[in-house]
Amino acid sequence: MKKLYFLKIIIFIVVILFSSKTNSQSAGDIAFIALNADGNDDFAFVALADIPANTTIWFTDNEWDGDSFNDTGEGEVSWSHTSILPAGSIVVIAGNAGGTASLESGSGSVSGSGINIGVSNETLYALLSEPIATTMATPGFLAGISNDDAGSGGILTGTGLTSGTNFIDFVNDSDGFKYTGSRTSQTTFAGYLPLIMDVNNWQIEGADGTLILPISTTSFTTLSAGILSLGNATVSCTTIAGVGLNDDTYSVSIPFTIILNGKTFVLSTTGNVGTISGDSPSSSASGTIVISNIPEGTSFTFTADDTADGGPNTVTKAITSPVCFPLVINETLFDPPTDNVLGDANGDGTRSSSADEFIEFINTSNVNLDLSGYSISDASELRHVFPTGTIIPAGGTIVVFGGGTPTGIPGLVQIATNTGELNLNNGGDSIILKNQNDDVVINFNSGDTLLNFGSDQSGARNPDITGDFVLHNAIAGNPVAFSPGRLNADNVPIMKTWSGTTNNDWATATNWISDSTPSTSDNVVIPSGLTNYPTAAAAVTVNSATIASGASLIAQDNFTGNVIYKRNVTFVSGLLKGWYLMASPVSGQAYNDTYVSGNDIASNNTNRGLATYTTSADSWSYLQAAGSGTFTNGQGYSIKRGTTTGDVSFTGTLNTNNAGVDVALTTTGNRFNLLGNPYTAYLNSATFLNNEASISETKTLWVWNQTLSTNGAYEVKSVGDAMMIAPGQGFFVKANVAGGTFNFSEANQSHNADTFQKTAEKPEIKLWITDGEIKNYNRVKYLENATTGFDVGYEGEMFNTANTFAIYSQLVSNDQGNKYQLQSLPNSDYENMVVPIGMIANAGKEITISAEITNLPSGIKVFLENRANNTFTELNASSSFKTTLSENINGTGRFYLHTKASVLSVDDMSMDGISIYKTTNSNLRIAGLSQGKSTVKLFNMLGKQVLTNSFTSN
């Protein structure tokens, strides 16, 4: 009996010891390394400590409320193992929702009814006790993983788990997660836990969790003693040397780990690249080695060699320093809010899912950045090309919208050039910025941010420039849906933008979008298309001022700061048509090959499309390849763009000398001198010529007009013309024989509507129809390259609605019965074009048809033919057509528009304007017949008459 009793005691003691050993595990001894919410609902864990034999671990997605599981109807799976599971081992389990859980890989056995892992708001726990709905005193939580529970709201209370330490939360409602970090770099297994807790070391699949499969079963291992380990190198820009960014240097930081202290390592780089500094590898077990002053784009190998100290190895790391680009994507809107007001990101009054998308860039360097020719693409195609003259000032911003008419947006703004949209995919997309050489300088992938960009708001860096992307309304200081052109943190404009809301006074706060005047560190933008432009009466200091083409700025005192003035010119094909007489409205702008390419200035062999005029020889001197110079204040130049319409930019300082700008005139040769407006405001030519009458032989000036003669010609402007000389405009004056100095007086500056290279408006007839209360119109334009048929992009049909009162036209030739509100015709052969006019109106209305006539050739008159009564009415400023309709009208055939030099005769016009076309396969329509008897005969291709019909036309 004693012996048997003794055995029972031994067995009992063994059981007690075994049970104690089983429950000795603690949080962090295992970690989840994969979770798939689709397919078989797979998950996997790694042992970061030896798991004792006969251990059982339960896995559940039940809801923990602090001391118990309150929803035991969810899934539960148990894993057990009869022997020790070594640290580093991987176990992969299939939850098999609705079935029986199974072991996919690794040791042990699995049982349970399966786990149905959700794709959102789901948490999976690992614990040493079976989950129950009553209070669990010692549940023994080991690990947890969540796809969007944030570790708050009580789910970790009472578990002993800490988010980011032994519980990982992805906060993004994705379908699949898989650890992809190192499995060989740590000296202890516990050292891998921080790597596993870092979401940057995971593959995340937002829509299809099965894309993480297969789950790697490669075991985790630890480093052997004496091994030097190099971590991932990080490259950072240390200097920005210039706009071209060709002289930038970098620092490379390389983390290292040494298992045994006291060893001496020899550090080197191939090709003597950079300067090595940082922590000495012989003094600590870990640290950072820094290699600085590495030229842009350098590829090299870094070597750490401990063999000289009897060590066992040499470790190398290949590194390439990328383009150190200072432009940062600070905010981007993939998914404008659906609300018509809250979703209007571009401020044009209309919410659009495509037009209101935007990308905000900030120039983080201390120099201007020229983006001319750079491009934006997404994952599928090109979306935008920055036009020439796109210069972002130091610290400035530019926002690229998908479309619309951006209004009230601070800073520089552009519209996507490719079909007017960015087409950013709400489910995730790339934003790729390339330079002129098609090199990628920014490659942003929304999937890398672990953020859902399809959330009716923008993704915004917090803090600005350097922070991670967050959903904008989560920013405590500025919880809004988006803030283009403004800091994410507080909604303050990044650049001070002039609005001119109140008047012309620079110092009036309400004239600025920010309702505050610029400070010395601000970048200022003065956009075009405004009513009021700024005049600075007192001295001003800013970091920079960017003035758009057509805008103006008057400084009546000192103006300190870099000024960028843009002058838009149109590319015109032809030997002489593409040339413009121009001048720099700022002082100090240099010109060279970089300036030529940056402004798309033409090149022909060694000649460049930038020339000075030599008065004495009456000749042009072209800038040569590799040549250079600086624009002279008040001097004119001839400039021609290469292939595109766009801006020519001038950067420098404002001319603010109280005496103005003096230019000595040359009196030899033909005495024609090419001058130009040296200010960022307009000059009155009459004032200019009257002030300088004593040295001007003719008291006139000449400008280049591309629309005259065959290839353009010089057009004379007298004092009586009083034209406004625009900023950047060049012109000729003729000195008298005595010569002297022309003075560009500062007092002659004014703000005026833009007149640079403006030509007369295109010929146009706008036909108005009114019934006393309601009015509508139709337009006929006359263009150089238009035809009498359908011209893609130049004809505009009426909107397809139930119109009850309208006037429209049909095509002069090849008409198919469509109703056009806009029709374009050739600007020649006016007398042989008759335009069918259609009308929609109800009986009993007295209607009036009148015309606004613009720039028709001299002698050409406009007549409206009424074939209902065979009459012609001349339409002009004092004459219109009136009639009271006796019946409803809806169609063409009654009214026709003629442009003639002489009074019309109805006998001569009987066949003009007749349209014949089929309306169905069995119907032929003839419109435009005069009132009275008509006969129609139809012949086949062999000339045989197949039909004759007589009828009375009305």
Side-chain angles (χ1 to χ4, degrees):
M1 293 294 293
K2 288 185 179 181
K3 186 174 182 180
L4 178 61
Y5 178 76
F6 177 73
L7 289 174
K8 287 184 177 180
I9 292 176
I10 293 175
I11 293 172
F12 177 76
I13 293 174
V14 170
V15 171
I16 294 295
L17 290 176
F18 175 77
S19 175
S20 175
K21 187 174 183 180
T22 299
N23 288 284
S24 65
Q25 289 179 268
S26 59
D29 282 357
I30 71 168
F32 287 104
I33 59 170
L35 181 67
N36 167 31
D38 298 324
N40 292 329
D41 289 336
D42 317 84
F43 62 91
F45 69 87
V46 58
L48 298 178
D50 289 344
I51 306 299
N54 299 313
T55 296
T56 298
I57 299 175
W58 278 267
F59 300 91
T60 182
D61 61 343
N62 288 332
E63 297 173 7
W64 174 258
D65 62 9
D67 59 8
S68 63
F69 287 95
N70 60 19
D71 186 1
T72 56
E74 293 198 42
E76 178 182 309
V77 171
S78 64
W79 169 89
S80 59
H81 197 236
T82 57
S83 59
I84 294 175
L85 182 71
S89 300
I90 307 295
V91 176
V92 182
I93 298 172
N96 295 331
T100 302
S102 59
L103 182 70
E104 290 187 351
S105 180
S107 302
S109 61
V110 171
S111 63
S113 59
I115 293 180
N116 185 10
I117 300 172
V119 299
S120 64
N121 301 318
E122 184 71 286
T123 300
L124 184 64
Y125 299 99
L127 63 163
L128 291 171
S129 300
E130 183 175 5
I132 57 176
T134 57
T135 300
M136 299 179 65
T138 56
F141 282 90
L142 300 177
I145 184 171
S146 174
N147 60 10
D148 198 0
D149 266 331
S152 60
I155 68 165
L156 296 186
T157 302
T159 65
L161 301 176
T162 301
S163 183
T165 301
N166 41 37
F167 179 97
I168 186 165
D169 186 3
F170 291 92
V171 199
N172 68 352
D173 287 342
S174 291
D175 290 28
F177 309 87
K178 180 171 68 174
Y179 174 74
T180 57
S182 173
R183 301 183 183 215
T184 60
S185 62
Q186 300 302 303
T187 58
T188 64
F189 287 106
Y192 288 106
L193 190 57
L195 299 182
I196 297 172
M197 292 299 112
D198 186 350
V199 295
N200 294 309
N201 292 328
W202 288 68
Q203 174 188 340
I204 301 172
E205 296 297 338
D208 184 359
T210 63
L211 294 178
I212 71 166
L213 304 179
I215 298 171
S216 174
T217 58
T218 301
S219 299
F220 286 60
T221 59
T222 56
L223 294 170
S224 302
I227 297 295
L228 170 69
S229 172
L230 298 178
N232 292 327
T234 58
V235 184
S236 59
C237 185
T238 54
T239 62
I240 299 291
V243 175
L245 304 177
N246 293 321
D247 300 320
D248 303 333
T249 60
Y250 307 84
S251 289
V252 176
S253 299
I254 307 175
F256 67 86
T257 299
I258 302 172
I259 305 309
L260 297 180
N261 291 333
K263 300 184 74 66
T264 300
F265 291 88
V266 178
L267 308 177
S268 62
T269 59
T270 58
N272 297 318
V273 174
T275 303
I276 301 174
S277 60
D279 295 332
S280 171
S282 63
S283 63
S284 67
S286 63
T288 301
I289 302 166
V290 178
I291 310 174
S292 57
N293 300 320
I294 305 166
E296 179 184 26
T298 300
S299 297
F300 64 97
T301 300
F302 170 75
T303 301
D305 184 359
D306 68 345
T307 55
D309 195 36
N313 70 111
T314 297
V315 180
T316 62
K317 180 169 286 293
I319 300 171
T320 298
S321 57
V323 175
C324 186
F325 201 64
L327 203 66
V328 170
I329 297 176
N330 195 56
E331 182 185 2
T332 181
L333 179 62
F334 286 41
D335 183 21
T338 55
D339 185 275
N340 288 334
V341 176
L342 299 180
D344 182 21
N346 63 19
D348 64 0
T350 302
R351 184 268 178 191
S352 169
S353 61
S354 58
D356 288 307
E357 292 181 340
F358 70 80
I359 307 168
E360 176 191 87
F361 298 91
I362 295 180
N363 177 8
T364 63
S365 74
N366 57 4
V367 295
N368 293 344
L369 180 61
D370 190 346
L371 292 185
S372 301
Y374 281 60
S375 65
I376 299 173
S377 302
D378 66 358
S380 59
E381 63 181 291
L382 176 71
R383 297 299 177 187
H384 179 62
V385 176
F386 290 96
T388 53
T390 301
I391 298 175
I392 316 302
T397 182
I398 187 167
V399 182
V400 180
F401 283 96
T405 306
T407 304
I409 307 300
L412 304 178
V413 177
Q414 290 183 5
I415 297 298
T417 55
N418 185 28
T419 66
E421 62 179 20
L422 293 170
N423 200 25
L424 299 174
N425 188 342
N426 295 350
D429 211 340
S430 295
I431 299 174
I432 303 167
L433 182 69
K434 297 181 180 180
N435 62 19
Q436 304 97 324
N437 299 323
D438 214 32
D439 300 320
V440 175
V441 293
I442 293 178
N443 192 346
F444 168 81
N445 188 325
S446 64
D448 295 338
T449 67
L450 307 182
L451 197 68
N452 180 8
F453 278 75
S455 302
D456 285 352
Q457 59 183 298
S458 70
R461 290 190 185 273
N462 187 31
D464 288 270
I465 300 174
T466 59
D468 292 330
F469 278 92
V470 299
L471 293 179
H472 205 309
N473 63 17
I475 299 176
N478 188 26
V480 296
F482 43 73
S483 58
R486 299 172 181 268
L487 291 172
N488 302 327
D490 52 18
N491 217 40
V492 173
I494 301 170
M495 300 177 74
K496 290 291 179 69
T497 301
W498 172 266
S499 64
T501 302
T502 305
N503 51 36
N504 296 103
D505 183 19
W506 176 284
T508 298
T510 53
N511 282 322
W512 300 90
I513 288 179
S514 57
D515 284 332
S516 62
T517 55
S519 64
T520 58
S521 61
D522 281 327
N523 293 298
V524 171
V525 176
I526 304 174
S528 61
L530 305 178
T531 301
N532 298 320
Y533 287 102
T535 297
V540 167
T541 298
V542 294
N543 184 54
S544 72
T546 300
I547 307 173
S549 184
S552 57
L553 166 64
I554 298 175
Q556 296 176 334
D557 203 334
N558 291 334
F559 191 99
T560 303
N562 201 38
V563 176
I564 304 168
Y565 191 93
K566 300 180 180 182
R567 183 73 266 174
N568 189 266
V569 295
T570 302
F571 170 74
V572 181
S573 178
L575 181 64
L576 299 176
K577 285 188 174 183
W579 289 95
Y580 292 83
L581 298 184
M582 301 184 69
S584 176
V586 296
S587 177
Q589 174 65 68
Y591 53 84
N592 48 31
D593 282 346
T594 299
Y595 182 80
V596 166
S597 61
N599 288 278
D600 191 28
I601 293 174
S603 297
N604 182 15
N605 296 324
T606 60
N607 289 339
R608 302 291 179 256
L610 192 159
T612 56
Y613 181 78
T614 304
T615 301
S616 59
D618 186 24
S619 63
W620 295 96
S621 178
Y622 298 96
L623 175 68
Q624 298 297 296
S628 63
T630 300
F631 288 102
T632 301
N633 295 333
Q635 180 179 327
Y637 299 78
S638 188
I639 294 178
K640 181 179 184 180
R641 284 179 62 88
T643 58
T644 60
T645 294
D647 291 334
V648 175
S649 294
F650 302 90
T651 302
T653 57
L654 289 189
N655 293 307
T656 58
N657 190 322
N658 289 334
V661 175
D662 292 334
V663 179
L665 297 187
T666 300
T667 57
T668 59
N670 59 29
R671 290 182 277 127
F672 281 98
N673 288 256
L674 180 55
L675 307 181
N677 183 353
Y679 300 117
T680 55
Y682 295 83
L683 301 177
N684 185 289
S685 67
T687 302
F688 174 79
L689 291 172
N690 282 325
N691 288 346
E692 310 306 327
S694 62
I695 58 173
S696 171
E697 180 175 84
T698 59
K699 207 175 180 179
T700 55
L701 57 84
W702 287 262
V703 296
W704 179 254
N705 190 333
Q706 295 172 317
T707 66
L708 299 179
S709 190
T710 304
N711 286 305
Y714 291 103
E715 184 176 10
V716 66
K717 298 292 181 180
S718 66
V719 172
D721 290 321
M723 70 169 286
M724 299 304 295
I725 305 172
Q729 176 126 32
F731 55 89
F732 276 101
V733 297
K734 188 174 184 181
N736 60 28
V737 293
T741 300
F742 258 94
N743 177 259
F744 290 89
S745 171
E746 277 198 304
N748 189 16
Q749 297 180 82
S750 65
H751 301 295
N752 194 76
D754 194 15
T755 58
F756 181 87
Q757 281 291 318
K758 294 294 185 184
T759 60
E761 294 182 19
K762 301 295 185 184
E764 177 179 305
I765 301 172
K766 180 180 284 187
L767 284 182
W768 286 97
I769 179 174
T770 64
D771 70 353
E773 297 178 355
I774 306 174
K775 61 182 180 180
N776 211 329
Y777 72 87
N778 174 71
R779 293 166 61 204
V780 179
K781 300 186 71 172
Y782 297 88
L783 306 174
E784 181 178 356
N785 296 318
T787 69
T788 57
F790 182 79
D791 300 305
V792 177
Y794 294 93
E795 323 292 347
E797 290 186 56
M798 292 173 56
F799 196 73
N800 187 23
T801 58
N803 292 294
T804 59
F805 190 78
I807 186 170
Y808 58 90
S809 68
Q810 291 187 324
L811 299 179
V812 170
S813 62
N814 298 320
D815 185 68
Q816 299 297 314
N818 296 324
K819 300 178 178 68
Y820 293 94
Q821 187 179 44
L822 170 64
Q823 181 174 174
S824 296
L825 295 171
N827 61 353
S828 60
D829 200 25
Y830 286 86
E831 300 203 39
N832 293 317
M833 291 185 291
V834 179
V835 183
I837 300 298
M839 190 180 303
I840 304 172
N842 294 328
K845 295 282 189 179
E846 182 185 62
I847 63 169
T848 300
I849 300 176
S850 59
E852 292 180 24
I853 303 168
T854 306
N855 294 324
L856 289 184
S858 177
I860 294 294
K861 299 179 178 62
V862 177
F863 296 91
L864 182 69
E865 178 188 2
N866 179 9
R867 292 189 178 175
N869 55 17
N870 288 334
T871 61
F872 290 88
T873 302
E874 183 177 357
L875 302 179
N876 53 39
S878 59
S879 177
S880 59
F881 170 84
K882 288 186 178 182
T883 188
T884 299
L885 298 176
S886 60
E887 58 184 359
N888 293 345
I889 183 171
N890 187 349
T892 57
R894 179 172 181 175
F895 295 102
Y896 292 83
L897 191 70
H898 301 262
T899 47
K900 287 283 187 178
S902 58
V903 177
L904 291 171
S905 165
V906 294
D907 295 333
D908 297 336
M909 303 304 298
S910 60
M911 292 299 296
D912 288 345
I914 296 176
S915 298
I916 304 175
Y917 53 91
K918 70 174 184 177
T919 57
T920 67
N921 285 335
S922 59
N923 284 343
L924 189 69
R925 177 165 183 170
I926 305 173
L929 294 174
S930 298
Q931 186 173 13
K933 185 176 181 180
S934 299
T935 299
V936 176
K937 296 180 179 181
L938 185 66
F939 299 84
N940 65 17
M941 294 295 291
L942 300 178
K944 180 182 178 181
Q945 179 176 314
V946 296
L947 172 69
T948 181
N949 198 343
S950 296
F951 54 91
T952 298
S953 172
N954 58 9

